[in-house]
Amino acid sequence: MGFLISYEERLVKAKGLNKLAKPKEEKVRQYLFPDEYQNLSLLAEVQKMKCPENPVFFYPACGADVLMPLKYMEILFPRLRGATFIFNDIDNNFGLIKTILDEVGVSFRQKNNFLQFYWGGILVDLQYLRGNIFQILGQIPAFDIYFERAFRIMKGDHPAYEDRIFRKLKPQGIVISDSGFQQLPLEKVEVSQELSAYREMIIGIKKK
């Protein structure tokens, strides 16, 4: 039998910052496919990498997928105390993201398209940018960590996209993707291919 995850946006009131309002793991599990949630344990085997004290994560074509990058951050960078996320999608999924955070027990404050909340002990600033990433990439600031999931088909029509991402990535920056980026001069980190539906999982560090 298949597993269905249903997203239904509802009006969510910003309740403000609350460091004690930690995400409820059972609720998080309900918003992820069982195999995806189980495979998160494979990240514990990945070598711990250095990143700035407050890294900038960029996630294009994010949809309403707010939990997976947060789980990756939590597992791969356990010493972080602050992070900035830039989420992008062609559709307006900001309300769904707020709904999901509220559902899993995370309290946030909001100003326009910005959210601030604690994920465990990590203070997260999240900006949501709506637009076609192939058209607005030049407007995105440089970032420390690039996160990508299920974007393979869309970027297939834009062969220069990965090179453009590489140029935007800061020195010592990290690419986390379920496909692509193999041709770029990244120092590959050993990671299980089970984390990618395409079996092309890559975590790579920009050394130049």
Side-chain angles (χ1 to χ4, degrees), residues 40-89:
L40 285 172
S41 64
L42 299 171
L43 289 175
E45 303 171 4
V46 177
Q47 71 178 52
K48 297 301 178 281
M49 295 165 286
K50 293 181 180 179
C51 69
E53 289 186 5
N54 195 328
V56 176
F57 286 69
F58 175 52
Y59 185 7
C62 61
D65 179 26
V66 63
L67 299 179
M68 192 62 80
L70 288 169
K71 292 298 293 182
Y72 267 70
M73 175 188 68
E74 167 192 323
I75 298 169
L76 292 177
F77 309 103
R79 296 184 180 180
L80 273 185
R81 290 296 172 262
T84 298
F85 281 78
I86 302 175
F87 275 30
N88 157 261
D89 201 273

CSV table of all heavy atoms in Angstrom, one decimal, residues 40-89:
chain,number,residue,atom,x,y,z
A,40,LEU,N,17.4,9.0,7.0
A,40,LEU,CA,18.1,10.1,7.7
A,40,LEU,C,19.2,9.6,8.7
A,40,LEU,O,20.2,10.3,8.9
A,40,LEU,CB,17.1,11.0,8.5
A,40,LEU,CG,16.3,11.9,7.7
A,40,LEU,CD1,15.2,12.6,8.5
A,40,LEU,CD2,17.1,13.0,7.0
A,41,SER,N,19.0,8.4,9.2
A,41,SER,CA,20.0,7.8,10.1
A,41,SER,C,21.4,7.6,9.4
A,41,SER,O,22.4,7.5,10.0
A,41,SER,CB,19.5,6.4,10.6
A,41,SER,OG,19.3,5.5,9.6
A,42,LEU,N,21.3,7.5,8.0
A,42,LEU,CA,22.5,7.3,7.2
A,42,LEU,C,23.4,8.5,7.3
A,42,LEU,O,24.6,8.5,7.1
A,42,LEU,CB,22.2,6.9,5.8
A,42,LEU,CG,21.4,5.6,5.6
A,42,LEU,CD1,21.0,5.5,4.1
A,42,LEU,CD2,22.3,4.4,6.0
A,43,LEU,N,22.8,9.7,7.6
A,43,LEU,CA,23.6,10.9,7.6
A,43,LEU,C,24.6,10.9,8.8
A,43,LEU,O,25.6,11.6,8.8
A,43,LEU,CB,22.7,12.1,7.7
A,43,LEU,CG,21.9,12.5,6.5
A,43,LEU,CD1,20.9,13.6,6.8
A,43,LEU,CD2,22.8,12.9,5.4
A,44,ALA,N,24.2,10.1,9.9
A,44,ALA,CA,25.1,10.1,11.0
A,44,ALA,C,26.5,9.5,10.7
A,44,ALA,O,27.4,9.7,11.4
A,44,ALA,CB,24.4,9.2,12.1
A,45,GLU,N,26.5,8.7,9.5
A,45,GLU,CA,27.8,8.1,9.1
A,45,GLU,C,28.7,9.1,8.3
A,45,GLU,O,29.8,8.8,8.1
A,45,GLU,CB,27.5,6.9,8.2
A,45,GLU,CG,26.6,5.9,8.9
A,45,GLU,CD,26.1,4.8,8.0
A,45,GLU,OE1,26.6,4.8,6.8
A,45,GLU,OE2,25.4,3.9,8.4
A,46,VAL,N,28.1,10.2,7.9
A,46,VAL,CA,28.9,11.2,7.2
A,46,VAL,C,29.8,12.0,8.1
A,46,VAL,O,29.5,12.4,9.2
A,46,VAL,CB,27.9,12.2,6.5
A,46,VAL,CG1,28.7,13.3,5.7
A,46,VAL,CG2,27.0,11.5,5.5
A,47,GLN,N,31.1,12.2,7.6
A,47,GLN,CA,32.0,12.9,8.4
A,47,GLN,C,31.5,14.3,8.7
A,47,GLN,O,30.9,14.9,7.9
A,47,GLN,CB,33.4,13.0,7.6
A,47,GLN,CG,33.3,14.0,6.4
A,47,GLN,CD,34.7,14.1,5.7
A,47,GLN,OE1,35.3,13.1,5.3
A,47,GLN,NE2,35.1,15.3,5.5
A,48,LYS,N,31.8,14.8,9.9
A,48,LYS,CA,31.4,16.1,10.2
A,48,LYS,C,32.2,17.2,9.5
A,48,LYS,O,33.4,17.1,9.4
A,48,LYS,CB,31.5,16.3,11.7
A,48,LYS,CG,30.6,15.4,12.5
A,48,LYS,CD,29.1,15.6,12.1
A,48,LYS,CE,28.2,14.6,12.9
A,48,LYS,NZ,28.2,13.3,12.3
A,49,MET,N,31.5,18.2,8.9
A,49,MET,CA,32.2,19.2,8.1
A,49,MET,C,32.2,20.5,8.8
A,49,MET,O,31.3,20.8,9.6
A,49,MET,CB,31.5,19.3,6.8
A,49,MET,CG,31.6,18.0,5.9
A,49,MET,SD,30.4,18.0,4.6
A,49,MET,CE,28.9,17.7,5.5
A,50,LYS,N,33.1,21.4,8.5
A,50,LYS,CA,33.2,22.7,9.0
A,50,LYS,C,32.3,23.6,8.2
A,50,LYS,O,32.1,23.5,7.0
A,50,LYS,CB,34.6,23.2,9.0
A,50,LYS,CG,35.6,22.5,9.9
A,50,LYS,CD,37.0,23.1,9.8
A,50,LYS,CE,37.9,22.4,10.8
A,50,LYS,NZ,39.3,23.0,10.7
A,51,CYS,N,31.7,24.6,8.9
A,51,CYS,CA,30.9,25.6,8.3
A,51,CYS,C,30.9,26.8,9.1
A,51,CYS,O,31.3,26.8,10.3
A,51,CYS,CB,29.5,25.2,8.0
A,51,CYS,SG,28.4,25.0,9.4
A,52,PRO,N,30.6,28.0,8.6
A,52,PRO,CA,30.6,29.2,9.4
A,52,PRO,C,29.7,29.2,10.6
A,52,PRO,O,28.8,28.3,10.6
A,52,PRO,CB,30.2,30.3,8.4
A,52,PRO,CG,30.5,29.7,7.1
A,52,PRO,CD,30.3,28.3,7.2
A,53,GLU,N,29.8,30.1,11.5
A,53,GLU,CA,29.0,30.1,12.7
A,53,GLU,C,27.5,30.3,12.3
A,53,GLU,O,26.6,29.7,13.0
A,53,GLU,CB,29.4,31.2,13.7
A,53,GLU,CG,30.8,30.9,14.4
A,53,GLU,CD,31.1,31.9,15.4
A,53,GLU,OE1,30.2,32.8,15.7
A,53,GLU,OE2,32.2,31.8,16.0
A,54,ASN,N,27.2,31.1,11.3
A,54,ASN,CA,25.9,31.3,10.9
A,54,ASN,C,25.8,31.2,9.4
A,54,ASN,O,25.7,32.2,8.6
A,54,ASN,CB,25.4,32.7,11.3
A,54,ASN,CG,23.9,32.9,11.2
A,54,ASN,OD1,23.2,32.3,10.4
A,54,ASN,ND2,23.3,33.7,12.1
A,55,PRO,N,25.8,29.9,8.9
A,55,PRO,CA,25.9,29.7,7.4
A,55,PRO,C,24.6,30.1,6.8
A,55,PRO,O,23.5,30.1,7.3
A,55,PRO,CB,26.1,28.2,7.3
A,55,PRO,CG,25.5,27.7,8.6
A,55,PRO,CD,25.7,28.7,9.6
A,56,VAL,N,24.7,30.4,5.5
A,56,VAL,CA,23.5,30.7,4.6
A,56,VAL,C,23.2,29.4,3.8
A,56,VAL,O,24.1,29.0,3.0
A,56,VAL,CB,23.8,31.9,3.7
A,56,VAL,CG1,22.6,32.1,2.7
A,56,VAL,CG2,24.0,33.2,4.5
A,57,PHE,N,22.1,28.9,4.0
A,57,PHE,CA,21.6,27.7,3.2
A,57,PHE,C,20.7,28.3,2.1
A,57,PHE,O,19.8,29.0,2.3
A,57,PHE,CB,20.7,26.8,4.0
A,57,PHE,CG,21.4,25.9,5.0
A,57,PHE,CD1,22.0,26.5,6.2
A,57,PHE,CD2,21.5,24.6,4.9
A,57,PHE,CE1,22.7,25.7,7.1
A,57,PHE,CE2,22.1,23.8,5.9
A,57,PHE,CZ,22.7,24.4,7.0
A,58,PHE,N,20.9,27.8,0.9
A,58,PHE,CA,20.0,28.1,-0.3
A,58,PHE,C,19.4,26.9,-0.8
A,58,PHE,O,20.0,25.9,-1.1
A,58,PHE,CB,20.8,28.8,-1.4
A,58,PHE,CG,20.0,29.1,-2.6
A,58,PHE,CD1,18.8,29.8,-2.5
A,58,PHE,CD2,20.4,28.7,-3.8
A,58,PHE,CE1,18.0,30.0,-3.6
A,58,PHE,CE2,19.6,28.9,-5.0
A,58,PHE,CZ,18.4,29.6,-4.8
A,59,TYR,N,18.0,26.9,-0.9
A,59,TYR,CA,17.2,25.8,-1.3
A,59,TYR,C,16.3,26.2,-2.4
A,59,TYR,O,15.2,26.7,-2.1
A,59,TYR,CB,16.5,25.2,-0.1
A,59,TYR,CG,15.7,23.9,-0.3
A,59,TYR,CD1,15.8,23.2,-1.5
A,59,TYR,CD2,14.9,23.4,0.6
A,59,TYR,CE1,15.1,22.0,-1.7
A,59,TYR,CE2,14.1,22.2,0.5
A,59,TYR,CZ,14.2,21.6,-0.7
A,59,TYR,OH,13.5,20.4,-0.9
A,60,PRO,N,16.6,26.0,-3.7
A,60,PRO,CA,15.7,26.3,-4.8
A,60,PRO,C,14.6,25.3,-5.0
A,60,PRO,O,14.8,24.1,-4.6
A,60,PRO,CB,16.6,26.4,-6.0
A,60,PRO,CG,17.7,25.3,-5.7
A,60,PRO,CD,17.9,25.4,-4.2
A,61,ALA,N,13.5,25.7,-5.5
A,61,ALA,CA,12.4,24.8,-5.8
A,61,ALA,C,12.0,24.0,-4.6
A,61,ALA,O,11.8,22.7,-4.6
A,61,ALA,CB,12.7,23.8,-7.0
A,62,CYS,N,11.9,24.7,-3.5
A,62,CYS,CA,11.7,24.0,-2.2
A,62,CYS,C,10.3,23.4,-2.0
A,62,CYS,O,10.1,22.5,-1.2
A,62,CYS,CB,12.0,25.0,-1.0
A,62,CYS,SG,10.9,26.4,-1.0
A,63,GLY,N,9.3,23.9,-2.7
A,63,GLY,CA,8.0,23.5,-2.4
A,63,GLY,C,7.6,23.8,-1.0
A,63,GLY,O,7.9,24.9,-0.5
A,64,ALA,N,7.0,22.9,-0.3
A,64,ALA,CA,6.7,23.1,1.2
A,64,ALA,C,7.7,22.2,2.0
A,64,ALA,O,7.4,22.0,3.2
A,64,ALA,CB,5.3,22.7,1.4
A,65,ASP,N,8.8,21.8,1.4
A,65,ASP,CA,9.7,20.9,2.1
A,65,ASP,C,10.6,21.7,3.1
A,65,ASP,O,11.8,22.0,2.7
A,65,ASP,CB,10.6,20.2,1.0
A,65,ASP,CG,11.6,19.2,1.6
A,65,ASP,OD1,11.3,18.8,2.8
A,65,ASP,OD2,12.6,19.0,1.0
A,66,VAL,N,10.1,22.0,4.2
A,66,VAL,CA,10.9,22.7,5.2
A,66,VAL,C,11.6,21.8,6.2
A,66,VAL,O,12.7,22.1,6.7
A,66,VAL,CB,10.0,23.8,6.0
A,66,VAL,CG1,9.0,23.1,6.8
A,66,VAL,CG2,10.9,24.6,6.9
A,67,LEU,N,11.1,20.6,6.4
A,67,LEU,CA,11.6,19.7,7.4
A,67,LEU,C,12.9,19.0,7.0
A,67,LEU,O,13.8,18.8,7.8
A,67,LEU,CB,10.5,18.7,7.8
A,67,LEU,CG,9.2,19.2,8.4
A,67,LEU,CD1,8.3,18.1,8.7
A,67,LEU,CD2,9.5,20.1,9.7
A,68,MET,N,13.0,18.6,5.8
A,68,MET,CA,14.1,17.8,5.4
A,68,MET,C,15.4,18.6,5.5
A,68,MET,O,16.4,18.1,6.0
A,68,MET,CB,14.0,17.3,4.0
A,68,MET,CG,15.0,16.2,3.6
A,68,MET,SD,15.0,14.8,4.6
A,68,MET,CE,13.6,13.9,3.9
A,69,PRO,N,15.5,19.9,5.0
A,69,PRO,CA,16.7,20.6,5.1
A,69,PRO,C,17.1,20.9,6.6
A,69,PRO,O,18.2,20.9,7.0
A,69,PRO,CB,16.5,21.9,4.4
A,69,PRO,CG,15.0,22.0,4.2
A,69,PRO,CD,14.5,20.6,4.1
A,70,LEU,N,16.0,21.1,7.4
A,70,LEU,CA,16.3,21.3,8.9
A,70,LEU,C,16.8,20.0,9.5
A,70,LEU,O,17.7,20.1,10.4
A,70,LEU,CB,15.0,21.7,9.5
A,70,LEU,CG,14.5,23.1,9.2
A,70,LEU,CD1,13.0,23.3,9.8
A,70,LEU,CD2,15.4,24.2,9.8
A,71,LYS,N,16.4,18.9,9.1
A,71,LYS,CA,16.9,17.6,9.6
A,71,LYS,C,18.3,17.4,9.2
A,71,LYS,O,19.2,17.0,10.0
A,71,LYS,CB,16.0,16.4,9.2
A,71,LYS,CG,14.7,16.4,9.8
A,71,LYS,CD,14.7,16.3,11.4
A,71,LYS,CE,15.3,14.9,11.8
A,71,LYS,NZ,15.3,14.8,13.3
A,72,TYR,N,18.6,17.7,7.9
A,72,TYR,CA,20.0,17.6,7.4
A,72,TYR,C,20.9,18.5,8.2
A,72,TYR,O,22.0,18.2,8.6
A,72,TYR,CB,20.1,18.0,5.9
A,72,TYR,CG,19.9,16.8,5.0
A,72,TYR,CD1,18.7,16.1,4.9
A,72,TYR,CD2,21.0,16.4,4.3
A,72,TYR,CE1,18.6,15.0,4.0
A,72,TYR,CE2,20.9,15.3,3.4
A,72,TYR,CZ,19.7,14.6,3.3
A,72,TYR,OH,19.6,13.6,2.4
A,73,MET,N,20.5,19.8,8.4
A,73,MET,CA,21.3,20.7,9.2
A,73,MET,C,21.5,20.2,10.6
A,73,MET,O,22.7,20.2,11.1
A,73,MET,CB,20.5,22.1,9.3
A,73,MET,CG,21.2,23.1,10.2
A,73,MET,SD,20.2,24.6,10.4
A,73,MET,CE,18.9,23.9,11.4
A,74,GLU,N,20.5,19.7,11.2
A,74,GLU,CA,20.6,19.2,12.6
A,74,GLU,C,21.6,18.1,12.7
A,74,GLU,O,22.4,18.0,13.7
A,74,GLU,CB,19.2,18.7,13.1
A,74,GLU,CG,19.1,17.9,14.3
A,74,GLU,CD,17.7,17.3,14.5
A,74,GLU,OE1,16.7,17.9,14.1
A,74,GLU,OE2,17.7,16.1,14.9
A,75,ILE,N,21.6,17.2,11.8
A,75,ILE,CA,22.4,16.0,11.8
A,75,ILE,C,23.9,16.2,11.4
A,75,ILE,O,24.8,15.8,12.0
A,75,ILE,CB,21.8,14.8,11.0
A,75,ILE,CG1,20.4,14.4,11.6
A,75,ILE,CG2,22.7,13.6,11.0
A,75,ILE,CD1,19.6,13.5,10.7
A,76,LEU,N,24.0,17.0,10.3
A,76,LEU,CA,25.3,17.2,9.7
A,76,LEU,C,26.1,18.2,10.4
A,76,LEU,O,27.4,18.2,10.4
A,76,LEU,CB,25.2,17.5,8.2
A,76,LEU,CG,24.7,16.4,7.3
A,76,LEU,CD1,24.6,17.0,5.8
A,76,LEU,CD2,25.6,15.2,7.3
A,77,PHE,N,25.4,19.2,11.0
A,77,PHE,CA,26.1,20.3,11.7
A,77,PHE,C,25.6,20.5,13.1
A,77,PHE,O,25.0,21.5,13.5
A,77,PHE,CB,25.9,21.6,10.9
A,77,PHE,CG,26.2,21.4,9.4
A,77,PHE,CD1,25.2,21.3,8.5
A,77,PHE,CD2,27.5,21.4,9.0
A,77,PHE,CE1,25.5,21.2,7.1
A,77,PHE,CE2,27.8,21.3,7.6
A,77,PHE,CZ,26.8,21.1,6.7
A,78,PRO,N,25.9,19.5,14.0
A,78,PRO,CA,25.3,19.5,15.3
A,78,PRO,C,25.7,20.6,16.2
A,78,PRO,O,25.1,20.8,17.2
A,78,PRO,CB,25.7,18.1,15.8
A,78,PRO,CG,27.0,17.8,15.1
A,78,PRO,CD,26.8,18.3,13.7
A,79,ARG,N,26.8,21.3,15.9
A,79,ARG,CA,27.3,22.4,16.8
A,79,ARG,C,26.8,23.7,16.4
A,79,ARG,O,27.1,24.7,17.1
A,79,ARG,CB,28.8,22.4,16.7
A,79,ARG,CG,29.5,21.1,17.3
A,79,ARG,CD,31.0,21.2,17.3
A,79,ARG,NE,31.6,20.0,17.9
A,79,ARG,CZ,32.9,19.8,18.0
A,79,ARG,NH1,33.8,20.8,17.7
A,79,ARG,NH2,33.4,18.7,18.5
A,80,LEU,N,26.0,23.8,15.3
A,80,LEU,CA,25.4,25.1,14.9
A,80,LEU,C,24.5,25.7,16.0
A,80,LEU,O,23.8,25.0,16.7
A,80,LEU,CB,24.6,24.9,13.6
A,80,LEU,CG,25.3,25.0,12.3
A,80,LEU,CD1,24.3,24.9,11.2
A,80,LEU,CD2,26.2,26.3,12.2
A,81,ARG,N,24.6,27.0,16.1
A,81,ARG,CA,23.7,27.7,17.0
A,81,ARG,C,22.8,28.7,16.2
A,81,ARG,O,21.9,29.3,16.8
A,81,ARG,CB,24.5,28.4,18.1
A,81,ARG,CG,25.1,27.4,19.1
A,81,ARG,CD,24.0,26.6,19.8
A,81,ARG,NE,24.5,25.6,20.7
A,81,ARG,CZ,24.5,24.3,20.3
A,81,ARG,NH1,24.0,23.9,19.1
A,81,ARG,NH2,25.0,23.4,21.1
A,82,GLY,N,23.2,29.0,15.0
A,82,GLY,CA,22.4,29.9,14.1
A,82,GLY,C,22.6,29.6,12.7
A,82,GLY,O,23.6,29.1,12.3
A,83,ALA,N,21.5,29.8,11.9
A,83,ALA,CA,21.6,29.6,10.4
A,83,ALA,C,20.6,30.5,9.7
A,83,ALA,O,19.5,30.8,10.3
A,83,ALA,CB,21.4,28.1,10.1
A,84,THR,N,20.9,30.8,8.5
A,84,THR,CA,20.0,31.6,7.6
A,84,THR,C,19.6,30.7,6.4
A,84,THR,O,20.5,30.1,5.8
A,84,THR,CB,20.6,32.9,7.1
A,84,THR,OG1,20.9,33.7,8.3
A,84,THR,CG2,19.7,33.6,6.2
A,85,PHE,N,18.3,30.6,6.2
A,85,PHE,CA,17.8,29.8,5.1
A,85,PHE,C,17.2,30.8,4.0
A,85,PHE,O,16.4,31.6,4.4
A,85,PHE,CB,16.7,28.8,5.5
A,85,PHE,CG,17.3,27.5,6.1
A,85,PHE,CD1,17.7,27.5,7.4
A,85,PHE,CD2,17.3,26.4,5.4
A,85,PHE,CE1,18.2,26.4,8.0
A,85,PHE,CE2,17.8,25.2,6.0
A,85,PHE,CZ,18.3,25.2,7.3
A,86,ILE,N,17.5,30.6,2.8
A,86,ILE,CA,16.9,31.2,1.7
A,86,ILE,C,16.1,30.2,0.9
A,86,ILE,O,16.7,29.3,0.2
A,86,ILE,CB,17.9,32.0,0.8
A,86,ILE,CG1,18.7,33.0,1.6
A,86,ILE,CG2,17.1,32.7,-0.4
A,86,ILE,CD1,19.7,33.7,0.7
A,87,PHE,N,14.8,30.2,1.0
A,87,PHE,CA,14.0,29.2,0.3
A,87,PHE,C,13.4,29.9,-1.0
A,87,PHE,O,13.0,31.1,-0.9
A,87,PHE,CB,12.8,28.8,1.2
A,87,PHE,CG,13.1,27.6,2.1
A,87,PHE,CD1,14.4,27.4,2.6
A,87,PHE,CD2,12.1,26.8,2.5
A,87,PHE,CE1,14.7,26.4,3.4
A,87,PHE,CE2,12.4,25.7,3.4
A,87,PHE,CZ,13.7,25.5,3.8
A,88,ASN,N,13.3,29.1,-2.0
A,88,ASN,CA,12.8,29.7,-3.3
A,88,ASN,C,11.9,28.7,-3.9
A,88,ASN,O,12.1,27.5,-3.9
A,88,ASN,CB,13.9,30.0,-4.2
A,88,ASN,CG,13.5,30.0,-5.7
A,88,ASN,OD1,13.7,29.1,-6.4
A,88,ASN,ND2,12.8,31.1,-6.1
A,89,ASP,N,10.8,29.2,-4.5
A,89,ASP,CA,9.9,28.4,-5.4
A,89,ASP,C,9.1,29.3,-6.3
A,89,ASP,O,8.9,30.4,-6.0
A,89,ASP,CB,9.0,27.5,-4.5
A,89,ASP,CG,8.5,26.3,-5.3
A,89,ASP,OD1,7.4,26.4,-6.0
A,89,ASP,OD2,9.1,25.2,-5.2
